[in-house]
């Protein structure tokens, strides 16, 4: 069975409002072990584990920590990215709702390793109701003496998808309008208020206590060549059992959407939300890994009754609305794409329009300032590749 | 400071550490177009016109804000770069008012100049147009219909005039330059320094025409 509970092992097993139920199982043992290690040792362990970021980009976690640790400076920051704005993604919510303590333990270890005395949890405003639960968990951990070396504060977003993007997130924490910054300099050298900063997804940090406790070698045992460990997916759409599933990396898409979630007729699957990739039903044997397709974990299944153009248009309308408005290829490009897709939706496409979509896609992917504009064309190019007839049948 | 060796358009050259690709290109007599960059202002990376090809990079790279690194191989005018720049200008024109014939900036407009350089004719893209009423006040006349959101005025007001009354508000296509919290220009905040007007690449910001105010002295024609 490809299912394996590593990240989610405490979910439904402990009371998220009572640290004692967590201590009964784990006792913050990973933090205790980490604190007798040298920070460099921890970083090397995380590097050896092969853990890659679970927030979408898959950047090697240990290398990111190392970069921040090696940048000179007294003031360093760690941010747990709980913005989870991606369409159809709700795994971080499930994690926080059920096991805030492992998340907090992960933050404390990461902060210790990079030398951060201050950390933030950036919580999306739509998850406001989780704030109380998190604050409660933080204060319980503090009372037990686990937060002596690091302060954890919660910062709430204001409802912008872009603020999940790490540089926009930092602007938002600094109290500015959330807009991506150009890179380099990367956050690990110049992040929050110009100081070295590590930003990690919730799920990435959830893996840390396990790696420290059981060692990199054990973590590396499952997964593929370049994708180690498990991944938490949130499945929604035309499936019998929507929900959160944790699978060994490299598992087949079929195992997730058919075997576990119980999809019947699949037309297409959107993997990784609005900025993710679209695959057709003939590709259900694709494996889910960083080498192939992964994204942040949101998997949306569409059955035969769904209309391709409608799906792509809605996705593009979302991205257009959420574009921050800073760089011209994304701000104007998503707008132009919506207009062309609307023509197809109304059966008024022209033969020239598919070419224009391709030209636009290329420009946006190559020239946009951040990941939003660079990934926004994915649904268009993927659907043009696998469902081109759906476009051609709408040409008047 | 250490010299950094790079290759730009096939020729080997070097620059000081920390210099951007754009600055190095300028030193070597290569002209990379820009819309949101100005030497006197901090770079922002908004317009993306200055993108260049850097070997090994997945995307094109904004030259106005990317420092050179040892061994960088840069192409400033490859077919890929030119095609991308052209689409960006076409996009900017799609939402632009397009009344160039009537515009008082017509022959000194950076956008129009770039469009000519890149062979941009009628934009193939159809987007909404940005139509806003012209905002008139004694200091700055603002015609947001012509704004390309390069943010030079915002930065100039903050960084040169050290005033900071101009800002950015709203998101996505509705993003616009605003004064304070999107209010009419208050007489006591603007210092009437005209710096924002002088940096505007299009006809968006201009000096108000004080038609009657200047009428002093004798009338020209005496019957
Ligand atoms: C438009 C956009 C939205 C993003 N939203 C999120 C998000 O909600 N949560 C998240 O963890 N990462 C998000 N990311 C990715 C972050 O920029 C960043 O790569 C990630 O938080 C790094 O953490 P990791 O290395 O642990 O994956 C987003 C990226 C983009 C371009
Ligand atoms: S000039 Fe470099 S992004 Fe505008």
């Amino acid at each position: 069975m490809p299912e394996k509970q590593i990240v989610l092992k405490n979910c439904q097993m402990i009371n998220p409002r009572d640290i004692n139920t967590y201590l009964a199982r784990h006792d913050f043992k990973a933090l205790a072990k980490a604190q007798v290690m040298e920070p460099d040792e921890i970083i090397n362990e995380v590097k050896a584990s092969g853990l890659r970021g679970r927030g979408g980009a898959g950047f090697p976690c240990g290398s990111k920590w190392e970069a921040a640790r090696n940048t000179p400076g007294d003031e360093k920051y760690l941010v747990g990215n709980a913005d989870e704005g991606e369409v159809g993604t709700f795994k971080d919510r499930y994690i926080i709702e059920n096991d805030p303590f492992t998340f907090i333990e992960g933050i404390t270890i990461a902060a210790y390793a990079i030398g951060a005395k201050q950390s933030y949890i950036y919580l999306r405003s739509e998850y406001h109701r989780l704030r109380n639960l998190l604050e409660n968990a933080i204060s319980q951990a503090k009372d037990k003496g686990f937060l002596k070396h690091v302060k954890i504060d919660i910062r709430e977003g204001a409802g912008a998808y872009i603020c999940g993007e790490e540089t926009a997130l930092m602007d938002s924490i600094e109290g500015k309008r959330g807009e991506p910054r150009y890179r380099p300099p990367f956050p690990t050298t110049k992040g929050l208020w110009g100081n070295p900063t590590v930003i990690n997804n919730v799920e990435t940090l959830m893996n840390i206590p396990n790696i420290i406790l059981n060692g990199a070698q054990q973590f590396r045992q499952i997964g593929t060549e370049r994708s180690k460990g498990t991944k938490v997916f949130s499945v929604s759409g035309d499936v019998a059992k929507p929900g959160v599933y944790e699978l060994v990396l490299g598992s087949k898409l079929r195992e997730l959407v058919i075997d576990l979630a119980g999809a019947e007729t699949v037309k297409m699957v959107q993997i990784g939300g609005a900025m993710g990739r679209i695959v057709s039903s003939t590709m259900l044997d694709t494996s889910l890994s960083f080498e192939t397709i992964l994204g942040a974990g949101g998997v949306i299944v569409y059955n035969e009754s769904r209309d391709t153009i409608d799906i792509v248009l809605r996705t593009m309308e979302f991205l257009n609305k959420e574009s921050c408005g800073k760089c011209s290829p994304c701000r104007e490009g998503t707008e132009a794409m919506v207009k062309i897709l609307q023509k197809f939706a109304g059966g008024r496409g022209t033969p020239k329009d598919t070419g224009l979509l391709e030209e636009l896609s290329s420009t946006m992917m190559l020239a946009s300032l951040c990941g939003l504009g660079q990934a926004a064309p994915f649904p268009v190019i993927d659907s043009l590749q696998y469902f081109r007839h759906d476009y051609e049948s709408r040409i008047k | 400071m250490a010299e950094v060796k790079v290759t730009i358009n096939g020729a080997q050259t070097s620059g000081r550490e920390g210099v951007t690709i754009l600055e190095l290109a300028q030193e070597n007599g290569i002209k990379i177009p820009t819309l949101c960059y100005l030497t006197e202002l901090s770079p922002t990376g908004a317009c993306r016109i200055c993108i260049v090809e850097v070997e090994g990079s997945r995307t094109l790279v904004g030259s106005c804000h990317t420092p050179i690194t040892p061994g960088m191989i840069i192409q400033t005018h490859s077919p890929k770069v030119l095609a991308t720049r052209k689409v960006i200008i076409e996009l900017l024109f799609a939402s632009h008012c397009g009344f160039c014939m009537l515009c008082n900036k017509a022959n000194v407009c950076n956008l129009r100049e770039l469009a000519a350089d890149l062979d941009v004719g009628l934009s193939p893209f159809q987007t909404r147009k940005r139509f806003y009423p012209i905002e008139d006040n004694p200091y700055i006349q603002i015609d947001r219909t012509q704004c390309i959101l390069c943010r030079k005025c915002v930065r100039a007001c903050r960084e040169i005039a050290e005033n900071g009354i101009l800002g950015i508000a709203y998101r996505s296509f509705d993003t616009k330059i605003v004064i304070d919290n999107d209010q009419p220009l208050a007489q006591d905040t603007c210092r009437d320094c005209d710096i924002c007007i002088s940096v505007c690449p299009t006809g968006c910001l201009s000096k108000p025409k004080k038609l009657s105010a200047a009428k002093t002295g004798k009338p020209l024609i005496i019957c």
Side-chain angles (χ1 to χ4, degrees):
Chain A
M1 218 30 203
E3 255 193 304
K4 190 166 174 79
Q5 308 258 302
I6 293 180
V7 171
L8 303 182
K9 65 176 181 297
N10 294 325
C11 295
Q12 318 281 349
M13 307 295 284
I14 63 164
N15 176 357
R17 294 206 159 266
D18 182 3
I19 197 166
N20 290 314
T21 59
Y22 178 75
L23 294 179
R25 282 169 71 88
H26 290 283
D27 210 10
F28 265 72
K29 273 206 256 2
L31 175 65
K33 186 173 173 192
Q35 281 177 327
V36 296
M37 291 164 79
E38 283 296 316
D40 288 333
E41 255 181 284
I42 300 176
I43 291 174
N44 284 336
E45 198 67 23
V46 174
K47 274 172 86 178
S49 73
L51 174 66
R52 293 172 65 174
R54 304 299 198 231
F59 193 82
C61 181
S63 309
K64 198 189 263 187
W65 291 12
E66 189 175 43
R69 169 146 196 94
N70 290 344
T71 308
D74 297 333
E75 207 121 312
K76 295 186 184 176
Y77 296 97
L78 178 91
V79 181
N81 188 348
D83 192 59
E84 197 165 54
E86 192 51 85
V87 180
T89 313
F90 43 91
K91 52 150 189 118
D92 293 343
R93 183 186 77 199
Y94 180 85
I95 290 171
I96 295 172
E97 271 173 347
N98 287 287
D99 181 13
F101 300 111
T102 308
F103 178 37
I104 288 170
E105 193 173 1
I107 292 177
T108 60
I109 298 171
Y112 172 73
I114 63 169
K117 293 180 206 74
Q118 172 71 53
S119 64
Y120 296 101
I121 295 174
Y122 190 81
L123 190 67
R124 74 178 295 199
S125 60
E126 291 84 345
Y127 290 176
H128 177 72
R129 64 188 176 80
L130 298 182
R131 182 172 183 138
N132 181 271
L133 180 93
L134 270 172
E135 274 171 350
N136 176 54
I138 294 169
S139 80
Q140 289 189 12
K142 195 170 170 190
D143 290 344
K144 297 275 179 191
F146 298 127
L147 301 184
K148 288 204 182 90
H149 64 294
V150 60
K151 190 159 176 284
I152 306 179
D153 285 324
I154 299 175
R155 290 288 179 271
E156 271 185 73
Y161 174 64
I162 192 64
C163 288
E165 196 279 338
E166 53 186 17
T167 57
L169 181 153
M170 295 191 300
D171 272 11
S172 169
I173 291 184
E174 289 179 11
K176 300 181 190 144
R177 173 183 164 91
E179 276 181 352
R181 308 173 183 175
Y182 54 78
R183 274 153 290 199
F186 291 93
T188 46
T189 45
K190 262 184 132 177
L192 276 173
W193 297 286
N195 299 303
T197 303
V198 166
I199 296 135
N200 274 136
N201 176 250
V202 174
E203 189 190 341
T204 315
L205 291 165
M206 290 294 286
N207 277 294
I208 300 297
N210 167 49
I211 292 174
I212 297 300
L213 214 49
N214 301 317
Q217 287 318 313
Q218 202 210 50
F219 183 83
R220 288 183 67 85
Q221 273 166 11
I222 52 171
T224 70
E225 175 73 33
R226 282 165 46 220
S227 314
K228 302 295 180 195
T230 61
K231 177 83 189 85
V232 183
F233 295 96
S234 51
V235 186
S236 60
D238 298 317
V239 293
K241 288 177 283 178
V244 175
Y245 299 92
E246 182 173 359
L247 266 65
V248 173
L249 276 163
S251 300
K252 300 251 181 300
L253 181 58
R254 175 186 304 284
E255 293 170 324
L256 179 64
V257 300
I258 309 262
D259 301 354
L260 288 169
E264 280 175 2
T265 59
V266 177
K267 175 173 180 176
M268 64 164 86
V269 186
Q270 205 170 12
I271 305 171
M275 297 192 304
R277 311 292 321 211
I278 289 177
V279 300
S280 71
S281 59
T282 56
M283 298 161 76
L284 289 177
D285 287 315
T286 315
S287 76
L288 296 161
S289 68
F290 291 108
E291 294 95 311
T292 46
I293 296 185
L294 197 59
V299 174
I300 310 171
V301 181
Y302 300 97
N303 68 20
E304 289 295 348
S305 73
R306 308 288 169 185
D307 174 33
T308 313
I309 306 288
D310 187 44
I311 294 166
V312 179
L313 173 60
R314 279 159 184 253
T315 307
M316 197 51 68
E317 280 173 346
F318 169 80
L319 292 167
N320 178 219
K321 191 160 165 287
E322 293 298 337
S323 164
C324 77
K326 180 172 180 178
C327 82
S328 39
C330 176
R331 182 188 64 234
E332 313 288 326
T334 51
E335 169 85 13
M337 273 197 171
V338 167
K339 287 288 180 285
I340 301 176
L341 290 167
Q342 277 171 346
K343 279 169 80 180
F344 281 106
R348 291 176 286 110
T350 62
K352 229 175 58 192
D353 285 333
T354 48
L356 279 180
L357 280 176
E358 279 158 346
E359 204 179 320
L360 254 180
S361 298
S362 152
T363 298
M364 290 167 67
M365 290 195 294
L366 287 170
S368 295
L369 180 61
C370 86
L372 199 162
Q374 288 164 12
F378 287 163
V380 171
I381 44 180
D382 288 344
S383 57
L384 272 172
Q385 181 172 356
Y386 306 123
F387 299 94
R388 203 175 185 96
H389 51 272
D390 287 343
Y391 285 86
E392 278 159 0
S393 66
R394 305 288 184 89
I395 290 176
K396 64 162 189 251
Chain B
M1 269 219 176
E3 282 284 302
V4 179
K5 286 202 177 66
V6 302
T7 309
I8 187 160
N9 296 349
Q12 295 236 341
T13 175
S14 67
R16 277 166 292 112
E17 200 182 316
V19 156
T20 61
I21 299 174
L22 178 69
E23 285 163 340
L24 184 78
Q26 283 169 346
E27 281 168 26
N28 284 274
I30 298 166
K31 191 164 177 266
I32 299 176
T34 62
L35 277 175
C36 70
Y37 169 85
L38 204 65
T39 332
E40 293 79 11
L41 302 174
S42 63
T44 171
C47 77
R48 314 309 295 158
I49 272 298
C50 71
I51 38 137
V52 296
E53 210 172 333
V54 170
E55 220 173 272
S57 169
R58 181 175 51 87
T59 58
L60 299 174
V61 170
S63 64
C64 71
H65 56 75
T66 306
I68 50 170
T69 53
M72 227 182 207
I73 300 175
I74 306 155
Q75 289 290 342
T76 62
H77 288 76
S78 66
K80 192 157 130 188
V81 169
L82 292 179
T84 308
R85 281 188 196 142
K86 182 169 179 185
V87 174
I88 295 176
I89 295 291
E90 285 172 344
L91 280 171
L92 287 173
F93 260 108
S95 58
H96 199 70
C97 63
F99 300 149
C100 295
M101 302 285 271
L102 306 174
C103 178
N104 55 8
K105 270 279 190 81
N107 286 332
V108 284
C109 170
N110 293 153
L111 184 65
R112 237 184 122 216
E113 184 190 348
L114 264 177
D117 286 353
L118 290 162
D119 247 346
V120 173
L122 264 187
S123 177
F125 302 110
Q126 288 166 355
T127 62
R128 282 175 280 172
K129 297 271 180 197
R130 286 195 177 77
F131 278 129
Y132 294 100
I134 295 179
E135 188 175 327
D136 216 350
N137 59 59
Y139 307 123
I140 322 169
Q141 180 179 308
I142 308 177
D143 182 0
R144 293 186 178 83
T145 306
Q146 303 187 32
C147 178
I148 55 167
L149 293 164
C150 72
R151 305 168 173 215
K152 276 183 185 166
C153 55
V154 176
R155 282 172 291 148
C157 188
R158 188 171 311 144
E159 296 171 19
I160 301 177
E162 294 183 1
N163 201 6
I165 60 166
L166 290 170
I168 303 276
Y170 309 101
R171 320 252 337 149
S172 180
F173 193 80
D174 299 325
T175 305
K176 65 173 186 174
I177 305 293
V178 295
I179 290 158
D180 296 329
N181 290 323
D182 200 4
Q183 286 140 339
L185 189 66
Q187 315 228 332
D188 49 349
T189 49
C190 178
R191 294 194 204 123
D192 204 10
C193 66
D194 289 357
I195 293 179
C196 55
I197 298 173
S198 71
V199 297
C200 182
T202 68
C204 173
L205 301 183
S206 56
K207 199 76 197 139
K209 294 177 201 72
K210 294 177 186 164
L211 285 179
S212 52
K215 274 186 194 162
T216 49
K218 287 183 192 147
L220 284 177
I221 304 165
I222 306 165
C223 312

